[in-house]
Amino acid sequence: MPSDDETSPVFTPMVTAEAALRMILDEICRDIDMYLAQFMESDEESGAHKTRVALRRLTTALDSFAPLLRRKARKVARDEAKTIFRQLGHVRDADVFIAGLAERARTPALLKETDSLRRKTRSKIRRKKAIGFAARLMRSLGTGELLGRRRAARAAQAMPVGQFAAQALAAAWQTCQTHGADLAHLSEDSRHEFRKDMKSFRYLAEFFAPLWPAGDWEQFRERLQDLQDDLGTLNDLANARRRSGETGVGTQELRTLLRADTAWAEFSAQPMWWQAN
């Protein structure tokens, strides 16, 4: 269910939205701490990638649970998460580019440039005190600084998470559908935006998966994962193509696009699992 072999907190439909949020943020912040430490201490490619996954899951949670949160505190947390995400993105793009090259093309100069980028990014993270970001976020949640205090926010905090989840999933799904059913005719920029919206939808679905343990969600999960993998491959191939200066779209990219386009057309036409409850 969760992304990249993560584990999801377990809660029931009648748990409050606030209680569910606390469990979700606790799990995500643990991941941020773990994978960011891996990036800082090791040259393994997974450090930057998995930290970015955790940060994107965090921004999805902050966006989806926005009705429960103080606007200013949420914006501060979200902005800091996005800054770390972008910094790590340069390293991630370089790692993907090198991984896609033939061995003979991985020149010492190119590897040295990537190592230098990794060191510079670590320095920026230390300078900005990003290593303590997750702990600061959880502290603001613990003190109540992150939570809204107005009547509407308190009502959202007390809402059963089953009801809240259905509303949040419906809104995220509607956003995905605004891109249309034909991915092949989207520009690269529009397809990238679609990919980001689908990521948010997938992470949101994973947050709330415990609410449908025996429902239709399981039937959609694998197909959603395959579609997301193809969208990720398309993004990596496009980035590598631009980085290398190539102008033509290769066979692998065209085949992946066709597969993703077919999967999305089928997937978007089916009723979603939460709508049956």
Side-chain angles (χ1 to χ4, degrees):
M1 291 185 283
S3 307
D4 296 287
D5 299 324
E6 309 294 348
T7 58
S8 279
V10 177
F11 42 77
T12 63
M14 294 311 296
V15 163
T16 65
E18 179 187 341
L21 173 63
R22 288 181 181 276
M23 286 186 272
I24 290 168
L25 290 188
D26 179 69
E27 178 257 334
I28 294 174
C29 285
R30 289 174 187 271
D31 288 343
I32 292 173
D33 277 342
M34 178 170 60
Y35 294 126
L36 188 55
Q38 181 180 334
F39 171 75
M40 299 298 288
E41 299 167 5
S42 167
D43 291 342
E44 291 184 24
E45 295 179 13
S46 59
H49 171 57
K50 289 192 173 183
T51 305
R52 278 167 54 86
V53 170
L55 288 166
R56 189 179 285 280
R57 294 179 75 222
L58 175 64
T59 56
T60 297
L62 293 174
D63 290 346
S64 301
F65 284 88
L68 285 66
L69 306 176
R70 290 181 63 192
R71 184 178 301 177
K72 183 177 180 180
R74 170 183 165 273
K75 183 179 185 304
V76 169
R78 197 183 193 285
D79 288 349
E80 188 169 359
K82 294 298 289 183
T83 296
I84 303 170
F85 181 87
R86 285 191 293 268
Q87 289 171 342
L88 292 172
H90 300 301
V91 177
R92 169 64 177 163
D93 289 345
D95 285 340
V96 170
F97 177 68
I98 289 176
L101 294 175
E103 190 67 33
R104 64 180 179 276
R106 301 176 189 178
T107 64
L110 181 58
L111 295 176
K112 183 177 180 180
E113 178 185 344
T114 303
D115 287 341
S116 176
L117 174 61
R118 197 181 305 275
R119 289 194 301 272
K120 289 178 180 178
T121 301
R122 287 171 178 156
S123 295
K124 288 180 181 178
I125 286 173
R126 291 190 186 97
R127 208 163 48 241
K128 297 289 186 180
K129 299 181 179 179
I131 295 174
F133 165 65
R136 291 193 298 273
L137 178 62
M138 289 307 296
R139 187 160 53 247
S140 71
L141 179 61
T143 62
E145 180 184 355
L146 185 61
L147 296 172
R149 298 168 185 169
R150 295 184 178 180
R151 180 178 299 177
R154 292 187 181 277
Q157 292 160 16
M159 183 183 297
V161 70
Q163 179 184 350
F164 182 87
Q167 294 176 4
L169 284 166
W173 182 240
Q174 185 176 16
T175 298
C176 293
Q177 289 187 308
T178 61
H179 295 277
D182 189 356
L183 301 185
H185 285 81
L186 293 178
S187 67
E188 283 188 5
D189 287 343
S190 296
R191 198 157 61 235
H192 181 59
E193 291 303 313
F194 171 73
R195 175 176 176 258
K196 291 195 295 185
D197 287 338
M198 283 298 295
K199 270 184 177 288
S200 295
F201 173 73
R202 176 187 163 196
Y203 295 150
L204 191 63
E206 289 169 349
F207 294 156
F208 297 132
L211 302 176
W212 291 276
D216 292 336
W217 156 244
E218 288 294 338
Q219 299 175 25
F220 286 90
R221 179 172 63 88
E222 186 173 348
R223 185 176 296 177
L224 181 58
Q225 174 71 61
D226 290 342
L227 174 59
Q228 198 68 57
D229 288 346
D230 281 339
L231 292 172
T233 298
L234 285 170
N235 187 66
D236 289 344
L237 290 171
N239 284 338
R241 173 164 43 80
R242 286 191 290 269
R243 189 182 178 100
S244 64
E246 295 180 11
T247 56
V249 177
T251 302
Q252 182 185 1
E253 195 168 347
L254 289 172
R255 287 177 177 171
T256 304
L257 177 57
L258 178 60
R259 187 168 59 243
D261 185 57
T262 301
W264 170 239
E266 294 174 353
F267 191 79
S268 61
Q270 298 187 23
M272 294 293 100
W273 60 93
W274 71 86
Q275 296 171 340
N277 292 289

